[in-house]
Amino acid sequence: MDAASREEVIARLQAAGAIPIRATEAGYHRLSQFLTADIAFRRKPSTAVVAGFIAQLSALLRAGLPLDRVLEILHEVAGRDDEAKLAARLLNEIQRGRSLGDAMTGESMFSRLCVSMVRAGEASGTLDAALARLAGFLAHAEEMKAKLRSALLYPIIVLIACGISLAVLFAFVIPRFRPFFAAAKTHLPPMTRILLNVSEVVEHHWLHGLIAIVAMLVTGLALLRDKSRRRRWDAWVLRLPLFGELIRKTEIGQWSDVLGTLLKNGVPLEGALTIAGETMRNSALITAAVSVARAVVEGAGLSEPLRRAGVFPPLVLRLVRVGEEAARLDDMLLELGAIYARETDRQRERLVTLIGPALTIGMGLIVAVVMGSIVTAILGVYRLAI
C-alpha cells in the first residue's frame, strides 16, 4: 500500500475493516536497518513507538480477542526486541491477576497519562476505545514534535552557516589587511579600527572566548535549576514578543488537549488536572496549573480558578465556562486544543518564514559593513599615497 507514513497505512487498513498486525516500510535492507535502528543506550522508546504499540493493542482488542491473547500476538510479531520484551512482561503481569493499568505502572515507557487513560477505560469497560483514543493522542503529539523539528531545521542551519562565515571573516580574512594598514601608518576610520581589534581578539583569543561562552552557559543552566529563578525566567519568556505568545499557546493547547482527552475517558477532573499540568514545561504555567488543581480539589469550578491564575487567555476562560454550563467540558477542551494547534502551526510557519530571510539579510549587512569599512580604509591609504 502506498502512503505517506506507516500510521496512515494502519489507519487505512482499520477503516477497511482489517486488523493490522504489522506495517513495515518496503525496500528495507541491512544498511537502511542500520541507519534507522534505535540507539542502544536510549533510555526509553520514542512517543511514536509507544503510540504504535498501543494502536496495535487497541486494534486487536476491538477484534474481540482476550487481552492475554493480544499480548501473546504482540510478543510474537514484535519487530523490535524491546517491544517483544515489553509484551512478555505485560503478559506475565496479566496472568498473575493484575490489570493492564497496574501492569503499565511499572514500565518506564508509559507515562502517567497512558496509565490513567487505561485505568479509566478498564473501569468503564471501554478499554479498546480508550486505547484507540490514547494512540491517536500520542500520534498527534509526535506529529506536532516532528513539525516543530522540521520548522526549526532551516533557521538552525542558516544560523550555523552565518556563525561559521563570521568566524572565517574575522579570523582569516580581516587579519590579512592588518600588515598593509600598519605599513601605511595612516589614521584609519573608527569602524575599521574596531574591526581590526575584533579580528585580533578572535584570531589570538578564540579559545578563551569559547571557554567563556561555555562557562556562561553552564552557569546560566545551574542558576535556572533554582525553582524561583526558573519561574522568573519562564515568566519573562512568556512576555517576549511573538515567541512568548507562541510558547503560551503551545503549552496551553497541549494542556487543554490532554485534559479533554482524560475527561473524555472518565478520569476525574481533579486527577486529570494534575496529570495535564505535568505535561507543561514552562514553570510559570506549571505553577498556575497547580494552583488551579488545588482550587478545584477544594470545591471550586474550573473557569474561576483559571481566571484567577492570570496566565490563561480569554478564549480559554470563555470556552471552559461554556463547557461547564453545557456539561460538555471535555468537548470544549478538545476543541480548544484543536484551535490552538491550528493557531500555533500558522504562527510557527510565519516565524520560520521570517527568520530565515532575516538571518540571511543580517549576515549580508554585516559582510557589507565589514567589507565597506576595509575598502574605505584602503581607498583612504591610496589617496594619501597619491
Side-chain angles (χ1 to χ4, degrees), residues 32-46 49 80-83:
S32 64
Q33 288 177 348
F34 171 77
L35 294 175
T36 58
D38 287 333
I39 300 173
F41 54 79
R42 201 162 84 183
R43 292 186 177 179
K44 63 179 182 178
S46 65
V49 174
R80 294 159 42 106
D81 185 57
D82 55 352
E83 289 184 22

Side-chain angles (χ1 to χ4, degrees), residues 234-267:
D234 286 346
W236 176 79
V237 168
L238 292 178
R239 291 193 294 269
L240 289 174
L242 297 179
F243 292 98
E245 188 64 21
L246 178 60
I247 292 172
R248 185 191 302 270
K249 288 183 177 180
T250 301
E251 293 269 18
I252 293 178
Q254 183 177 1
W255 174 85
S256 303
D257 211 5
V258 173
L259 185 57
T261 303
L262 288 169
L263 294 177
K264 199 77 172 177
N265 284 273
V267 179

Side-chain angles (χ1 to χ4, degrees), residues 85-273:
K85 291 180 179 178
L86 171 65
R89 290 195 300 271
L90 292 177
L91 177 60
N92 182 53
E93 295 296 322
I94 295 298
Q95 290 174 342
R96 289 171 55 189
R98 301 184 68 188
S99 67
L100 180 60
D102 292 339
M104 285 181 168
T105 305
E107 299 293 337
S108 61
M109 69 180 288
F110 296 115
S111 63
R112 284 192 63 190
L113 170 67
C114 297
V115 174
S116 298
M117 288 186 64
V118 168
R119 284 176 171 169
E122 288 176 322
S124 61
T126 57
L127 179 59
D128 53 349
L131 287 170
R133 193 173 290 117
L134 175 60
F137 174 81
L138 294 176
H140 176 71
E142 184 64 20
E143 182 184 356
M144 292 298 102
K145 290 180 183 178
K147 285 183 177 180
L148 180 60
R149 287 193 293 265
S150 300
L152 292 176
L153 182 61
Y154 174 66
I156 289 174
I157 292 175
V158 173
L159 188 61
I160 292 174
C162 291
I164 293 174
S165 301
L166 289 176
V168 171
L169 191 64
F170 282 98
F172 299 102
V173 178
I174 295 178
R176 302 288 183 182
F177 294 95
R178 196 179 297 122
F180 172 77
F181 292 132
K185 296 180 180 180
T186 183
H187 181 74
L188 298 175
M191 182 58 71
T192 306
R193 292 201 303 272
I194 292 173
L195 291 175
L196 291 174
N197 291 333
V198 171
S199 69
E200 185 173 4
V201 171
V202 173
E203 184 182 11
H204 298 291
H205 304 286
W206 64 270
L207 182 59
H208 300 87
L210 183 61
I211 293 174
I213 293 173
V214 172
M216 286 190 293
L217 289 175
V218 171
T219 303
L221 292 174
L223 291 174
L224 288 178
R225 289 182 178 178
D226 180 73
K227 291 184 178 180
S228 60
R229 290 194 182 97
R230 181 59 182 266
R231 195 177 301 114
R232 289 196 296 270
W233 168 264
D234 286 346
W236 176 79
V237 168
L238 292 178
R239 291 193 294 269
L240 289 174
L242 297 179
F243 292 98
E245 188 64 21
L246 178 60
I247 292 172
R248 185 191 302 270
K249 288 183 177 180
T250 301
E251 293 269 18
I252 293 178
Q254 183 177 1
W255 174 85
S256 303
D257 211 5
V258 173
L259 185 57
T261 303
L262 288 169
L263 294 177
K264 199 77 172 177
N265 284 273
V267 179
L269 179 59
E270 296 83 356
L273 282 168

